[in-house]
Amino acid sequence: MLKMANKRTVFIEFYTNHIIQKDSINSLESRLKKLNVKYEDIENYIESVNWYTTLRNKYSTLKNQ
């Protein structure tokens, strides 16, 4: 979590390209989906595209508050 003045940004990032077992990825994605639903009312953090953004799991959570 980053905090600057009255603004907080939270990143829950996972990179699954190193996980070989499909069951592990499915389990992780299931838990991340639940997190996204739980915090869907918090504004998403919009970032510019970088080399690592395409490697990040699609259910990683990036929020602004």
Side-chain angles (χ1 to χ4, degrees):
M1 179 170 78
L2 303 170
K3 187 173 182 180
M4 293 177 269
N6 293 329
K7 194 166 200 155
R8 291 182 293 171
T9 304
V10 177
F11 300 100
I12 302 173
E13 300 176 287
F14 288 94
Y15 298 86
T16 56
N17 56 323
H18 67 283
I19 299 174
I20 296 170
Q21 295 178 338
K22 182 78 171 149
D23 291 341
S24 296
I25 293 172
N26 291 338
S27 175
L28 172 65
E29 287 185 350
S30 176
R31 288 180 278 161
L32 290 173
K33 281 181 194 178
K34 289 177 185 176
L35 269 178
N36 280 319
V37 169
K38 183 177 180 179
Y39 297 109
E40 67 186 358
D41 59 326
I42 299 175
E43 176 186 346
N44 286 325
Y45 176 79
I46 307 300
E47 66 178 336
S48 57
V49 177
N50 291 296
W51 66 269
Y52 53 85
T53 55
T54 58
L55 300 175
R56 186 184 298 135
N57 181 279
K58 63 184 174 183
Y59 298 109
S60 293
T61 305
L62 305 163
K63 296 291 183 176
N64 254 347
Q65 189 177 27

